[in-house]
Amino acid sequence: MEIQKKENHFYMTNHAFVMKAEGLKKKLIVKKEEPTGLVTVQTDPNAVHGWKCKKVADIDSLDDKAYGKGESLIVDFGDHQVGYLVMKIRPVGSPPDAPLHLRLTFGEMPIEMGEDFATYDGWVSSSWLQQETMHIDVLPHVLQMPRRYSFRYLKIEVLDASPKYAVAFDEIYCETVTSADTRKLSPITTADPLLAEMDRISIKTLQDCMQDIFEDGPKRDRRLWLGDLRLQALANYETFKNYDLVKRCLYLFAAVTDENGQVSSNVFVAPNLIPDDTYLFDYSSFFPVTLYDYFVATEDLETAKELWPTAYRQIELALERVNENHLVMDDTSGAWWAFIDWHKDLNKQAAAHAILIYAMKRALGLARAVDDEKRAAFLDNKIKQMKKAAVEYLWDEKQQFFVSGAERQVSWASQVWMVLAEVFDIEKSSQLIDMLLTERPAIGPVTPYMYHHLIDALIMVDERDVARQVMKEYWGEMIEDGADTFWEAYDPKNKNFSPYGNSLINSYCHAWSCTPTYFIRKYKMY
Amino acid sequence: MEIQKKENHFYMTNHAFVMKAEGLKKKLIVKKEEPTGLVTVQTDPNAVHGWKCKKVADIDSLDDKAYGKGESLIVDFGDHQVGYLVMKIRPVGSPPDAPLHLRLTFGEMPIEMGEDFATYDGWVSSSWLQQETMHIDVLPHVLQMPRRYSFRYLKIEVLDASPKYAVAFDEIYCETVTSADTRKLSPITTADPLLAEMDRISIKTLQDCMQDIFEDGPKRDRRLWLGDLRLQALANYETFKNYDLVKRCLYLFAAVTDENGQVSSNVFVAPNLIPDDTYLFDYSSFFPVTLYDYFVATEDLETAKELWPTAYRQIELALERVNENHLVMDDTSGAWWAFIDWHKDLNKQAAAHAILIYAMKRALGLARAVDDEKRAAFLDNKIKQMKKAAVEYLWDEKQQFFVSGAERQVSWASQVWMVLAEVFDIEKSSQLIDMLLTERPAIGPVTPYMYHHLIDALIMVDERDVARQVMKEYWGEMIEDGADTFWEAYDPKNKNFSPYGNSLINSYCHAWSCTPTYFIRKYKMY
């Protein structure tokens, strides 16, 4: 897979949309969270990534010890935190006659406490690894780290003090930040403790990703991606109900498009709003979907109307990839043209075809809501043509599976998205899903993002018990493996899987993994 | 040598003196200094420490290049700087999709650019090595380093950016700080270019050490030491004439003493005024000396009167070390009781004895100035007794040298200080110095601090030509070896000498080395 990188990156800015998005920005909710204990990290062949943390002392014992050159400690905050670290550092011994040289390492997972970051060899930037070294010239000092971190564990290493003094840590805390207001949450009652725990962790995951924007992950990339936004918004409607944050994000995407009007797969909001130069077929198609979901949740017709041209433009642009047989054309260049899932061998044609149908159906809903009859008629017709094409060109009657690409690949993603696109009626879709769960083709889902669509497809064919079961198996095993928040990538068959070639860099609090609460609450699965 | 470290560190604070010192604090003079070129560092067996920098490009060429992961550059400021670094960093390529991870290394000398700081194995804290790593989340960014650095060279290493972007450095500069006002300098005219250069570098050294206090070295320890203060003050009277800064430093020492009234060898001024728990016989004795020099330079009788009790107290305390034979007693415990010089084998008894005589002579001057006749009489008598004791117990008639300690060590330091104490008349002192320069005992001077006293002794016996010659040889060789400012330690016979076991940590702009300008100007040696 080649990453996208445009030589000449032009984009159009709609100033009024930028201003509207900025007007929707709110003050974050700040809370002080204190650590609960001191831990050590140790190897354990049975633990995920081979590392686990073990409690060695209560946090009160922090006061008892001064740490000199070469000494270190690991502080456990007991749960996942996103925020700003504050530490009160006091010298012990003679007046400090040299600066204090400290290294702080923040980790969401034990592996980040155990493994040396210098061993990192993944393909995304090592600069995401949360480690800082610093010199403190004057002690005592209240260290207020200016960057935001995402972590449960904090390793503090005294690289050097001096032969004449050591340091004690009188107070350590995190000022957490979020735009999720927990007062908006409704409690649910369930006799199933695992469902209750999945709901709690889903909500915590969403909460920690809700900042000035819906971030994909507060550790990495801290960015607004359309695919993640769509799922976060759904979970948010069932929990925190922060409608303005979804509206803000929709305007951010609509405010900066390429010269053809395509919304980017993701946008940067600092130092100012800039669209990334990565454009993905499925993510752009999710713009009308996310707008439609927002409209259904809020009945905010004014926003639907104002963003309708942007939404419709995504469909027009996606249709440029559809050939005379009404079929989404595959890519043969090796370019990263659609996301779908992180499975490295996944062919994306069939899923992309289905996603466009899925998106056009939501666009059709919007067209009717905003009284755009002409486009509604066009979409209605196009959906029919593309459904027909899907069956004609991608359905393999012999295998009873949809196939994708020149090599006619059978993947979970293709079947799941065809079900969600309602290419077949419920009965036939149900048979397809049963077949999928029985045959289990090799190209399976590797992220909670793809598992979300599997669950969604099961619900669409009214198989809620199976949906609950699959959800409990997948997210439940993640909980058993120690998830405080749900992870970006999780393959139960290969627990060291990383889309980036190294588990250190994975995000262990990732927005697209937060949807169990959406299913549990929307479909009253408790 | 054992460093001093008190288990129970009590000290007395004279609040009025603290307030007086604070009232003398002034705004520093800030100046913007820009780099002059880009250099590489390379090994060279003929260079000091085996490293030299070589210019590869003008600074204008900085604009031409973007630096990606693993790339680096070394910026040369062309001269020694003390101040705050500012860098404008601009991303090149796609919008930055990961933080920028930078390492900055500041060096006064090529060795700091060439050697890996991880190899440092000296006995003072590695935290003095000027290296920072940092993450920058939002680009473009104007990086304003909060700590002050002392450097000529700056190495910038891009540890990571991302496959999608690199960075360019549009502007790099240093906001230098000093309390030395160069407008106060008088030009001197000399036909000797080496003397002119020594004068210029001395003044630059002093200037860079003159901050809120007279620092010993702006790289390390950045602290007010009495021994350094004394020499800085002398050079200052001939150059910048910042009398208030000397006065402020005298009050700082007098404001915090131990429970007996002894001034510390050095004080910390942040977070508030604290005396170090290191008390040195010679340094405390220099308090009356420095006050006397200040009084002679300024005729500020009010300050002399106010600080006279503190000054006299140092003599009283030093005399507690004098036995019934009027002889300063040696230490046999291995404790670090007096400084004198960094030579590791130096016995300090004779020099300490001489220094107390030297100090009492200045105290006597003060006693007369403040009309303390009783103490003047006491001092006058004591000086005579101790001069006599010096000859009686420490002079070795056969060797024609003063000896020190039980093993009757013959060192340069002992002879030099006995000359400065005027134990003999000028004629005999002159013979002693000649003998010293001819015989050259093994225990020689290893710092410019000790060389200062050698030059001072030569001037005292009216051997100004020899003084000039020795000065030109010693400091001149340092210039040849690449000194932009004069170094803390320099042994021409062992150019890798470090008092701390590793040359990386040496201070290469050190206050006590700045006195050639004092000799040149005070004794009109140009």
Side-chain angles (χ1 to χ4, degrees), chain B residues 156-174:
Chain B
I156 306 170
E157 294 170 276
V158 177
L159 299 181
D160 213 335
S162 99
K164 295 191 69 169
Y165 82 100
V167 285
F169 302 96
D170 285 327
E171 197 179 358
I172 300 176
Y173 60 90
C174 179

Side-chain angles (χ1 to χ4, degrees), chain B residues 123-313:
Chain B
W123 64 266
V124 293
S125 179
S126 62
S127 62
W128 289 115
L129 298 171
Q130 303 178 113
Q131 187 172 76
E132 312 289 354
T133 57
M134 76 208 68
H135 292 93
I136 298 169
D137 289 317
V138 178
L139 293 167
H141 182 67
V142 180
L143 178 66
Q144 297 181 281
M145 297 296 288
R147 302 179 76 213
R148 202 195 67 190
Y149 301 97
S150 180
F151 67 106
R152 169 176 170 168
Y153 305 104
L154 165 64
K155 183 163 62 181
I156 306 170
E157 294 170 276
V158 177
L159 299 181
D160 213 335
S162 99
K164 295 191 69 169
Y165 82 100
V167 285
F169 302 96
D170 285 327
E171 197 179 358
I172 300 176
Y173 60 90
C174 179
E175 289 188 329
T176 63
V177 284
T178 180
S179 54
D181 186 348
T182 51
R183 292 171 306 181
K184 298 278 176 68
L185 290 173
S186 312
I188 59 164
T189 313
T190 168
D192 185 335
L194 181 55
L195 271 185
E197 187 65 353
M198 275 169 56
D199 184 64
R200 185 190 68 74
I201 296 175
S202 295
I203 291 170
K204 174 69 171 153
T205 305
L206 177 61
Q207 183 183 342
D208 285 359
C209 294
M210 281 172 71
Q211 303 293 337
D212 269 338
I213 52 169
F214 283 100
E215 296 185 13
D216 61 332
K219 170 181 151 188
R220 202 213 83 247
D221 307 328
R222 312 185 191 170
R223 230 184 301 165
L224 175 58
W225 287 85
L226 239 169
D228 303 68
L229 169 63
R230 174 175 152 255
L231 301 197
Q232 282 168 298
L234 291 175
N236 170 57
Y237 302 142
E238 304 301 324
T239 54
F240 299 112
K241 300 180 176 62
N242 187 341
Y243 302 112
D244 276 355
L245 187 64
V246 182
K247 185 174 170 184
R248 168 169 153 75
C249 291
L250 286 167
Y251 273 99
L252 287 172
F253 275 109
V256 280
T257 63
D258 75 1
E259 53 272 54
N260 297 319
Q262 186 172 2
V263 296
S264 179
S265 62
N266 70 95
V267 298
F268 301 90
V269 292
N272 53 286
L273 180 62
I274 304 169
D276 189 24
D277 57 359
T278 300
Y279 293 83
L280 298 170
F281 180 88
D282 48 344
Y283 274 37
S284 296
S285 300
F286 286 141
F287 186 85
V289 176
T290 311
L291 180 60
Y292 174 79
D293 293 340
Y294 169 79
F295 174 68
V296 170
T298 61
E299 296 179 7
D300 175 358
L301 188 59
E302 192 188 326
T303 298
K305 276 187 172 159
E306 191 161 51
L307 296 181
W308 168 240
T310 307
Y312 187 72
R313 184 68 188 136

Side-chain angles (χ1 to χ4, degrees), chain A residues 489-506:
Chain A
Y490 185 62
D491 183 352
K493 294 190 298 293
N494 173 17
K495 291 186 179 175
N496 286 318
F497 169 70
S498 165
Y500 317 108
N502 192 304
S503 298
L504 275 173
I505 209 85
N506 285 15

Side-chain angles (χ1 to χ4, degrees), chain A residues 32-287:
Chain A
K32 180 175 173 178
E33 295 286 351
E34 293 179 333
T36 56
L38 300 180
V39 298
T40 52
V41 68
Q42 55 195 52
T43 53
D44 179 348
N46 298 316
V48 167
H49 313 130
W51 290 99
K52 78 167 181 207
C53 285
K54 202 184 142 198
K55 185 162 180 174
V56 287
D58 283 329
I59 195 63
D60 302 339
S61 67
L62 194 63
D63 306 340
D64 304 343
K65 189 166 158 51
Y67 296 84
K69 176 175 182 167
E71 295 186 298
S72 67
L73 66 157
I74 301 176
V75 167
D76 180 4
F77 277 74
D79 200 356
H80 192 267
Q81 312 294 340
V82 175
Y84 299 87
L85 184 80
V86 180
M87 293 206 310
K88 295 192 181 171
I89 309 172
R90 174 172 48 91
V92 176
S94 295
D97 59 334
L100 174 65
H101 194 194
L102 273 189
R103 179 160 58 205
L104 303 185
T105 306
F106 299 83
E108 294 179 322
M109 292 286 287
I111 185 178
E112 293 159 277
M113 296 294 101
E115 270 183 25
D116 184 354
F117 284 2
T119 65
Y120 173 74
D121 58 358
W123 64 265
V124 293
S125 178
S126 62
S127 62
W128 290 115
L129 298 171
Q130 303 179 112
Q131 186 171 77
E132 313 288 355
T133 57
M134 75 208 66
H135 292 92
I136 298 169
D137 290 317
V138 178
L139 293 167
H141 182 67
V142 180
L143 178 66
Q144 297 182 279
M145 297 296 287
R147 302 179 76 214
R148 201 196 66 191
Y149 300 98
S150 180
F151 66 107
R152 170 176 169 166
Y153 304 104
L154 165 65
K155 183 163 63 182
I156 306 169
E157 293 170 277
V158 177
L159 299 179
D160 213 334
S162 98
K164 295 190 71 170
Y165 82 101
V167 286
F169 303 97
D170 285 327
E171 197 180 359
I172 300 177
Y173 61 90
C174 179
E175 289 187 328
T176 62
V177 284
T178 180
S179 54
D181 185 348
T182 50
R183 292 171 305 180
K184 298 279 175 67
L185 291 172
S186 312
I188 59 164
T189 313
T190 168
D192 185 336
L194 181 55
L195 271 185
E197 186 65 354
M198 276 168 58
D199 184 65
R200 184 190 70 72
I201 295 176
S202 295
I203 291 169
K204 175 68 171 152
T205 304
L206 177 61
Q207 183 184 343
D208 285 359
C209 294
M210 281 172 71
Q211 302 294 336
D212 269 340
I213 51 168
F214 282 100
E215 297 185 11
D216 61 332
K219 169 181 153 188
R220 203 214 80 247
D221 306 329
R222 311 184 192 172
R223 228 185 303 165
L224 175 57
W225 287 85
L226 239 170
D228 303 68
L229 168 62
R230 175 176 151 254
L231 302 197
Q232 282 169 297
L234 291 176
N236 169 56
Y237 302 143
E238 304 301 323
T239 54
F240 298 114
K241 301 182 176 61
N242 188 340
Y243 303 112
D244 275 356
L245 188 63
V246 182
K247 186 174 169 183
R248 168 168 153 76
C249 292
L250 285 167
Y251 273 99
L252 288 172
F253 275 110
V256 281
T257 63
D258 75 2
E259 52 271 57
N260 296 318
Q262 185 172 2
V263 297
S264 179
S265 63
N266 69 93
V267 298
F268 301 91
V269 292
N272 53 287
L273 181 62
I274 304 169
D276 189 24
D277 57 1
T278 301
Y279 293 83
L280 298 171
F281 181 87
D282 49 343
Y283 274 36
S284 296
S285 301
F286 286 140
F287 185 83

Side-chain angles (χ1 to χ4, degrees), chain B residues 95-106:
Chain B
D97 59 335
L100 174 65
H101 194 193
L102 274 188
R103 179 159 59 207
L104 302 184
T105 306
F106 300 82

